[in-house]
């Protein structure tokens, strides 16, 4: 693709990066074939190729983002299915970040829209604030029928998981027996409040496999929520805090990995080196953090599972999160691990398509999110599974949201099944399917 940035514009490293990405695009349109929003809407501007042209024009002309720009770029899920498909290696993810940052800096949104985005960018990355928000959502649940749609969906999303347990305490969790590995666990801002059992299962299975697990008190949000909202200054601040904190631990204790069990978080952690590429003080440490980061299934596949207590012939439908299969390129590891544990793993049609969760997307773009959710639930239900497994809290919450269309089968995090199959307790959400266990 031909570009026309001026020499002055190209003095900005972000424009240099955008220019390189744009020039790698050959207009082929293969990306549109796997884009969920293009598939639903059928508008060229709601596909990656159309959005690339919009971002190109905004940045080249250095103009204020228009209503059309914002409308179509906001409707992007950031699922990155297009990047898996693209034969030219176009880094759509980074180009989209440049576009969203430009929109945030130049466009004046309507008051309610801006207020909601500011609220999400403030609350979701802060576990202390989010804990109070969750309590409020539970109290407001009986009155959701009279509330505006966005608020109603938010309350249902936050308050719909019934099984709760204690959040993970920041400390060092010693390995069972001799220590083979030392790892840092990113517990997640929202996940540890909504579904603490995921972190508990992660710590148990790592401890049984000889891993000492560090949960650091000064851990911050990974920055993903703010980055996807275009709030890059806030995202970079959080990213720098984590890099400084984890680097200090690594230099003293020499960790083998930074474990992530929320795939959306893992996707941005692996991008820390790029995001801090222009920071002379932290770029090297950011590269080390990115190198150490791996999904829990990626790490378990690397070290191998110990004894497996085959939990019966349960049929598990695996829902691969976009941030995992497209963002991190971690695709077959969870399936191989589940199969090795005796589960019969099946996958839905069009497994590459997003379920509609996509971070805050299911709140900000609920109409498209609900349609994608319905498609995913239909595809999963056709498999007649006993259980649905996924590797991302956002997908789990979205698909189990208590409204008209929800999964009839229990949805559980992959690591909870692996923990159970290797000696841990049965996940509470599976109480209804224990009759299938031999």
């Amino acid at each position: 693709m031909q570009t026309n940035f001026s020499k002055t514009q190209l003095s900005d490293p972000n424009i240099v990066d955008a220019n390189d990405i744009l020039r790698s695009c050959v207009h082929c349109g293969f990306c549109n074939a796997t884009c969920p929003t293009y598939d639903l809407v059928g508008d060229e501007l709601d596909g990656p190729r159309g959005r690339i042209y919009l971002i190109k024009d905004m940045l080249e002309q250095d103009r204020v983002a228009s209503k059309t720009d914002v409308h179509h770029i906001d409707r992007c899920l950031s699922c990155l299915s297009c990047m898996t498909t693209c034969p030219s290696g176009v880094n759509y993810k980074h180009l989209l970040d440049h576009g969203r940052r430009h929109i945030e800096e130049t466009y004046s949104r309507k008051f309610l829209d801006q207020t909601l985005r500011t609220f999400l960018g403030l609350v979701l990355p802060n576990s202390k604030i989010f804990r109070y928000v969750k309590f409020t959502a539970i109290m407001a649940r009986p009155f959701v029928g009279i509330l505006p749609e966005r608020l109603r969906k938010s309350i249902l999303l936050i308050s719909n998981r019934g099984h709760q347990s204690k959040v993970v305490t920041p400390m060092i969790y010693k390995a069972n027996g001799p220590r083979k590995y030392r790892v840092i666990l990113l517990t997640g801002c929202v996940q540890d409040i909504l579904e603490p059992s995921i972190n508990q299962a992660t710590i148990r299975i790592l401890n049984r496999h000889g891993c000492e697990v560090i949960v650091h008190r000064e851990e911050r949000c990974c920055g993903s929520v703010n980055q996807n909202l275009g709030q890059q200054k806030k995202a970079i601040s959080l990213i720098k805090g984590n890099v400084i904190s984890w680097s200090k631990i690594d230099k003293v204790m020499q960790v083998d990995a930074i474990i992530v069990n929320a795939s959306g978080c893992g996707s941005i952690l692996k991008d820390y080196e790029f995001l801090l590429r222009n920071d002379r003080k932290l770029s090297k440490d950011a590269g080390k953090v990115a190198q150490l980061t791996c999904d829990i299934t990626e790490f378990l596949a690397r070290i191998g599972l110990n004894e497996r207590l085959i939990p019966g012939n349960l049929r598990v439908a695996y829902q691969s999160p976009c941030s995992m299969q497209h963002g991190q390129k971690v695709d077959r590891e969870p399936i191989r691990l589940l199969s090795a544990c005796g589960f019969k793993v099946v996958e839905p049609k069009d497994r590459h398509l997003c379920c509609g969760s996509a971070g805050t997307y299911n709140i900000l773009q609920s109409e498209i999110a609900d349609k994608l959710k319905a498609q995913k639930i239909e595809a999963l239900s056709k498999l007649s599974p006993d259980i649905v497994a996924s590797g991302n809290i956002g997908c789990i919450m979205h698909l189990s949201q208590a409204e008209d269309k929800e999964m009839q089968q229990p949805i559980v995090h992959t690591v909870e099944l692996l923990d159970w199959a290797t000696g841990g307790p049965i996940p509470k959400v599976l109480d209804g399917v224990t009759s299938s266990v031999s």
Side-chain angles (χ1 to χ4, degrees):
M1 179 182 289
Q2 184 178 358
T3 57
N4 294 289
F5 290 103
S6 68
K7 288 184 179 181
T8 302
Q9 286 177 305
L10 290 172
S11 64
D12 180 346
N14 287 321
I15 294 298
V16 171
D17 181 63
N19 183 57
D20 291 342
I21 296 169
L22 289 166
R23 283 179 173 269
S24 67
C25 178
V26 296
H27 320 259
C28 68
F30 283 12
C31 52
N32 284 351
T34 57
C35 174
T37 53
Y38 180 79
D39 182 57
L40 275 179
V41 181
D43 187 330
E44 173 71 15
L45 295 180
D46 278 314
R49 184 170 61 181
R51 293 186 180 112
I52 286 172
Y53 277 108
L54 291 175
I55 295 170
K56 175 180 182 291
D57 190 63
M58 275 195 308
L59 298 182
E60 270 188 348
Q61 303 301 321
D62 194 20
R63 60 171 175 77
V64 173
S66 69
K67 186 176 180 180
T68 298
D69 298 327
V70 175
H71 176 72
H72 294 290
I73 292 172
D74 277 357
R75 297 216 291 193
C76 178
L77 291 144
S78 301
C79 71
L80 307 183
S81 180
C82 55
M83 287 183 62
T84 299
T85 305
C86 180
S88 302
V90 176
N91 198 317
Y92 177 79
K93 175 183 180 179
H94 291 163
L95 185 65
L96 184 63
D97 284 343
H98 293 315
R100 284 176 168 162
R101 184 185 64 252
H102 185 80
I103 288 172
E104 185 71 9
E105 292 172 352
T106 65
Y107 186 73
S108 296
R109 295 180 181 273
K110 291 182 179 179
F111 176 76
L112 290 179
D113 187 31
Q114 184 61 55
T115 300
L116 177 58
R117 296 172 72 89
T118 301
F119 177 80
L120 293 172
L122 172 68
V123 171
L124 296 183
N126 190 314
S127 58
K128 292 180 181 179
I129 298 176
F130 186 75
R131 186 178 286 109
Y132 292 111
V133 171
K134 180 188 174 184
F135 175 78
T136 303
I138 293 172
M139 294 297 100
R141 191 178 176 90
F143 311 103
V144 293
I146 61 173
L147 297 176
E149 183 183 12
R150 280 183 171 179
L151 185 57
R152 174 173 58 84
K153 287 182 177 294
S154 300
I155 289 172
L156 290 173
L157 191 66
I158 293 170
S159 64
N160 77 326
R161 296 292 276 184
H163 300 289
Q164 292 299 314
S165 50
K166 186 181 177 183
V167 298
V168 170
T169 303
M171 60 179 284
I172 296 176
Y173 294 82
K174 298 293 185 181
N176 297 356
R179 176 176 60 81
K180 300 177 183 177
Y181 310 94
R182 176 181 284 129
V183 302
I184 295 171
L185 174 64
L186 174 68
T187 56
C189 311
V190 171
Q191 177 174 276
D192 203 35
I193 305 299
L194 291 179
E195 206 71 34
S197 59
I198 297 171
N199 287 328
Q200 292 169 357
T202 302
I203 292 170
R204 283 194 302 266
I205 195 170
L206 287 170
N207 286 164
R208 286 200 305 276
H209 285 77
C211 298
E212 179 181 281
V213 181
I214 303 168
V215 176
H216 192 40
R217 189 174 300 277
E218 295 180 16
E219 170 190 295
R220 300 186 182 189
C221 171
C222 66
S224 178
V225 169
N226 298 105
Q227 181 75 359
N228 288 338
L229 287 169
Q231 301 165 357
Q232 193 170 60
K233 288 183 180 179
K234 174 66 172 176
I236 293 297
S237 174
L238 293 168
I239 290 168
K240 286 182 177 180
N242 281 331
V243 169
I244 292 170
S245 177
W246 291 332
S247 296
K248 286 180 180 177
I249 296 173
D250 180 48
K251 287 169 184 174
V252 174
M253 306 181 74
Q254 295 183 336
V255 301
D256 297 292
I258 297 173
I259 304 296
V260 185
N261 53 22
S263 61
C265 301
S267 185
I268 193 170
L269 257 67
K270 290 182 178 181
D271 208 28
Y272 271 16
E273 182 175 16
F274 173 81
L275 292 169
L276 295 186
R277 66 196 182 283
N278 299 316
D279 190 311
R280 293 181 180 179
K281 291 183 179 179
L282 294 177
S283 58
K284 185 176 179 181
D285 288 340
K288 182 70 181 295
V289 168
Q291 185 181 20
L292 286 171
T293 298
C294 56
D295 184 79
I296 177 61
T297 56
E298 192 178 6
F299 185 75
L300 291 174
R302 183 189 304 169
I303 67 174
L305 292 175
N306 293 339
E307 178 185 6
R308 295 145 203 175
L309 310 175
I310 309 300
N313 189 29
L314 286 173
R315 187 177 175 89
V316 177
Y318 178 67
Q319 195 280 126
S320 182
C322 299
S323 48
M324 203 156 173
Q325 61 172 314
H326 303 308
Q328 299 188 57
K329 306 301 181 188
V330 178
D331 193 20
R332 307 315 294 174
E333 290 88 339
I335 295 168
R336 293 193 190 106
L337 289 169
L338 288 169
S339 298
C341 288
F343 296 106
K344 185 177 180 181
V345 184
V346 290
E347 298 179 81
K349 178 185 176 183
D350 294 331
R351 62 186 295 277
H352 64 282
L353 292 180
C354 183
C355 70
S357 174
T360 59
Y361 191 93
N362 53 7
I363 297 172
L364 297 172
Q365 300 288 334
S366 59
E367 183 179 353
I368 292 177
D370 285 347
K371 289 178 180 178
L372 292 172
K373 173 185 168 184
Q375 288 182 358
K376 184 65 71 174
I377 288 176
E378 182 180 4
L380 289 167
S381 298
K382 284 182 178 178
L383 301 172
S384 301
D386 298 304
I387 309 166
V388 175
S390 184
N392 190 47
I393 182 65
C395 302
I396 293 169
M397 299 300 295
H398 184 56
L399 292 173
S400 61
Q401 188 174 336
E403 274 201 281
D404 306 352
K405 297 171 183 173
E406 59 183 63
M407 285 299 307
Q408 298 303 308
Q409 296 81 9
I411 307 176
V412 66
H413 195 287
T414 308
V415 76
E416 295 183 273
L417 290 182
L418 296 175
D419 174 50
W420 173 36
T422 56
I426 184 170
K428 290 182 180 179
V429 74
L430 299 186
D431 289 346
V433 296
T434 50
S435 59
S436 300
V437 182
S438 60

